[in-house]
Structures are given as C-alpha cells and as structure tokens.
Amino acid sequence: MDNLTHSLVGLLLGELANRALPAHPDPHKARTRRRVLLATGALASNFPDLDLVLTPLLAPPLGYLLHHRGHTHTLLYALPQIALLLGLLWLLWPGARRLMRDDRPARRAVLATAAVGMVLHLSLDFLNVYGVHPFHPLDSRWLYGDMVFIIEPVFWTALGIALALLVPNRVLRWLFAALILAAPVAFTYLGFLQWGSLAGLLMVAGVVAVMARRGGSAGLVTAIVACLGFIAVQGVAGHLAREQIRSALAQLEPGSRILDMPLSAFPSNPLCWSFAAITDSGGAGSYAVRIGALSLAPGVSDVAACPARFGGEPGAVGPEGTLSWKYKEDGSLAGLRALQRDNCHFDGWLRFARVPSLIDGKATDIRFSAPGVDNFSTLPYAEMADRPCPAPVPQWERPRQDLLD
C-alpha cells in the first residue's frame, strides 16, 4: 500500500495502544506517552519500506523489483527492524528513553505497537496485486491478495477522518479533515474514481464523523470496521470476478489450462476489475497472456464506464457489457525456457514477473501498464545479454515457474 495508508494505520494503532493503558496521573508524562506511541506506530508501519536503500545493489530495474518488498518485508527480518526502531527511539528521544525505562506498562505497549505495526505493513501490502513473500526463507513464494488497489481512498477517508477529529487544535483539525476529503474529490475530477465511488467515500466520512462525536474510541472503531468491511466486500467481489473470467476463458480457449488470474481492483469500486490470465495450451508447447477488464454489475456500471485511467479503452465487449478483452500475446514455452537459461538478467527478472510480456527484446510485467508500454519493470534483456550477471539476486521463487517446469 501507499505510505499515507501505512502512516494512518500506524497512527491509529498508536492511539489505540495509548487508550488501552490506564490514564496517567501526570499530564506531561501522559502527553509524552501518547506521542511516543503515535510515533512508534507510524514509524513501525513504514519501516519495511526502508528496503528502498538496497535497490542500488542491482542495476535497474532489477534492484527495485527484487529488493523492494524484499527481505524487510518478511516476518523473520521484522525482528531486527523492531530492535532498530526501539534502539533509535531510546538513543534519539530522551522522553521516550525515560518512558521505556521507568514505565513498565508503557514499555510493553511500545514494544507491542512496534511489532504489530510491522505485521500490519506486511498484511496491507499482501492485499494488492504486487505481492509479498513474508515467510521467506521457509517459503519464498510470492503471495498476492488481489483484492485492493495499491492506493485506496477508502482507507484514507475512514482512518484520516477518525484521526483528524482527534487533533486538539480546532483550525488544524478541520484543515486536516478538509485535506483528507479533497483527495477523493480531486481523484474523481481527474478520472480515477466514478461519482458513485465519491458518494460512497463521503458517506463513510460522514458515518465516521458522527460516531467520533459520541466520544471515546467510537470514531476509531467505526473507521476500522469500515476498512475491514471494505476488504471483505473486495474479497467476495474478487471471487465472483474470477468465476466470470474462468467461464469466459473456458468458452474462448477450450482445453487450455489456466495457470494464474491476477486481479487488480479499481480504487473504491468493487464492481470494476482489471485482470490478466496466463494459460498454457495443454501440451502444444505454447502459452498465452491475456489482459482485460470486467464489470460485475453492468446494469450499474458497464465495463466501458469503468474509469479509463485503469481499464483503458474497451476491446471486444462480451454479452451485456460485462467483460472486455484488450490484449492477447502468445509465446513459445521452449523459447521462454531457452531465454531463461541463456540470459541471466532475464532469469533474475523472472523472480519478480507475474504477467510477462516479451516484445522487441524487452520484457515487461504488464500488471502495471498497458501492453507495449514500458513501466518500472521493463527489462531490455536483449541489449543486456553480454553484460556481467547481476548479483546478489534474492532467491524469491519465480511466479511463472509453472511455465518453466
């Protein structure tokens, strides 16, 4: 997920941790405890993204592809990150040092907040199509939730409003709330959201605000329920989308075997989905990559009406405007395997690529852009063939090992 979402989740975690502790009789120490817990939650929820400093270890694009969401995004390496975070708080913040030294319940709360913040970061990153491999080195497979877009305004709105209304200063409180609400309005104007999505977001903001006026933790709890409910809805909608895609592929390519169906959600929109389908020919020595878009409720939002910023222009729209096929690329299994064997740069790239597109000596994972358009994953493998092999290459399991076996 984006770092604003991670930060909001961390701040909410810190606020809840502070409220779970008994009220402190000393107002100054109470303020320090709250600030330390808020800072711990926000930092822990962003710490795993420090792996960006490792990206120069490999030439682009492999450095970013293989080291971001890499070792720091695993449960094993969360442990030294927790130790590093607590060590920095101890060394650089005298108030935090006194709090952790003298207040045992607060010390435990800080430790728990740091640990839960790290786990929440991995959990949120799992939700989208990019993926994580949290159980490395025991299991180095990429795991994909395929449920939530990587930038999700529902999280911004629900969590942001709940936290903004806790700001003591009235001017800052309403300024932060206005900035939070301005984001989905701007996204709608720019074509990233439908008007129905904006209406839903404003409704979420209103419900959270009403509950926050009741006092206590009602606003925070409502925000959490809204986020969890949205994730549940996305999970059910994603399952329905896969069933429709599977049925359409059975008619389009009878006898082929579906290897994977990556789904990319549209922001704040359970009805619209972008998808890819990777199939093999059932023994004919070829594979196919297809890209499309889908609407689960064409009567409400035809697939052609799904935001063009993510779905692109409709291709061959199926019955009743439910499904749009946008692109198909056929490939040779023997050629793919030979390229993986003979080109070490391409072999490293395959440790990340889930939807490979090979055009004119370039390899691109087309989860992240239109076919034929370069994105951050594009590897010019042909011109890199004579260069020294990349090292060190993390040993993540190749998402398309099913095409290589």
Side-chain angles (χ1 to χ4, degrees):
M1 300 301 295
D2 63 279
N3 290 100
L4 176 57
T5 296
H6 286 309
S7 299
L8 292 173
V9 168
L11 289 170
L12 183 136
L13 173 63
E15 181 67 30
L16 290 177
N18 182 62
R19 292 175 179 234
L21 294 172
H24 203 292
D26 185 329
H28 175 71
K29 291 182 177 179
R31 285 194 298 271
T32 300
R33 185 181 75 182
R34 181 171 182 259
R35 290 170 181 169
V36 170
L37 286 169
L38 288 173
T40 301
L43 290 171
S45 291
N46 284 282
F47 236 60
D49 282 338
L50 290 176
D51 57 12
L52 290 171
V53 304
L54 302 177
T55 58
L57 292 176
L58 293 174
L62 294 182
Y64 183 86
L65 301 182
L66 298 180
H67 285 299
H68 180 48
R69 294 211 185 178
H71 292 91
T72 60
H73 284 70
T74 65
L75 294 173
L76 176 63
Y77 285 91
L79 299 177
Q81 291 181 85
I82 294 170
L84 176 60
L85 172 57
L86 297 180
L88 290 174
L89 290 173
W90 181 277
L91 292 173
L92 302 179
W93 192 347
R97 181 165 60 248
R98 288 191 296 270
L99 179 74
M100 290 189 283
R101 183 184 60 212
D102 302 333
D103 190 332
R104 186 176 181 182
R107 182 168 62 247
R108 290 178 174 176
V110 170
L111 176 60
T113 300
V116 174
M118 299 281 180
V119 173
L120 285 175
H121 184 109
L122 305 187
S123 302
L124 287 168
D125 280 356
F126 161 75
L127 293 176
N128 52 62
V129 73
Y130 197 106
V132 288
H133 27 69
F135 304 114
H136 175 81
L138 298 178
D139 184 349
S140 297
R141 289 177 297 171
W142 287 87
L143 304 179
Y144 310 96
D146 289 354
M147 288 185 287
V148 176
F149 191 67
I150 196 167
I151 299 176
E152 181 43 68
V154 168
F155 297 155
W156 291 9
T157 302
L159 302 177
I161 293 297
L163 291 167
L165 295 180
L166 297 178
V167 176
N169 185 287
R170 183 177 181 181
V171 174
L172 291 178
R173 181 192 317 151
W174 294 113
L175 176 61
F176 291 156
L179 289 173
I180 289 294
L181 293 178
V185 173
F187 290 160
T188 304
Y189 176 78
L190 293 172
F192 292 105
L193 295 176
Q194 291 179 313
W195 289 102
S197 298
L198 177 61
L201 291 169
L202 294 178
M203 185 181 301
V204 169
V207 172
V208 171
V210 168
M211 296 303 294
R213 289 179 61 87
R214 296 188 176 185
S217 300
L220 300 176
V221 172
T222 303
I224 294 172
V225 171
C227 293
L228 293 177
F230 175 72
I231 293 171
V233 168
Q234 290 292 107
V236 173
H239 173 75
L240 296 175
R242 277 199 169 85
E243 291 302 310
Q244 289 197 23
I245 299 164
R246 196 180 303 276
S247 176
L249 281 171
Q251 299 179 30
L252 196 64
E253 295 184 4
S256 66
R257 182 169 62 113
I258 301 173
L259 302 177
D260 197 4
M261 280 193 293
L263 290 179
S264 183
F266 283 57
S268 310
N269 190 338
L271 302 182
C272 291
W273 295 82
S274 292
F275 66 88
I278 299 93
T279 60
D280 74 10
S281 56
S286 63
Y287 68 95
V289 173
R290 290 180 178 271
I291 300 292
L294 172 75
S295 172
L296 289 175
V300 178
S301 176
D302 187 279
V303 66
C306 293
R309 291 280 190 170
F310 300 104
E313 292 300 319
V317 180
E320 301 177 358
T322 59
L323 192 146
S324 168
W325 296 106
K326 301 184 180 302
Y327 177 74
K328 181 186 179 185
E329 181 177 328
D330 294 304
S332 162
L333 289 173
L336 181 74
R337 293 164 184 169
L339 186 57
Q340 183 256 340
R341 181 183 64 245
D342 299 334
N343 189 310
C344 55
H345 301 277
F346 183 74
D347 179 51
W349 183 80
L350 284 175
R351 295 190 181 277
F352 171 82
R354 189 181 181 191
V355 189
S357 172
L358 310 181
I359 300 175
D360 297 331
K362 292 183 178 181
T364 300
D365 190 325
I366 50 177
R367 282 179 289 176
F368 309 111
S369 67
V373 178
D374 291 354
N375 61 41
F376 66 90
S377 74
T378 300
L379 177 82
Y381 63 85
E383 68 180 54
M384 300 178 73
D386 296 329
R387 299 181 189 177
C389 289
V393 175
Q395 297 301 295
W396 317 132
E397 187 169 319
R398 301 174 183 88
R400 291 281 64 84
Q401 188 66 43
D402 45 21
L403 294 178
L404 300 172
D405 288 338

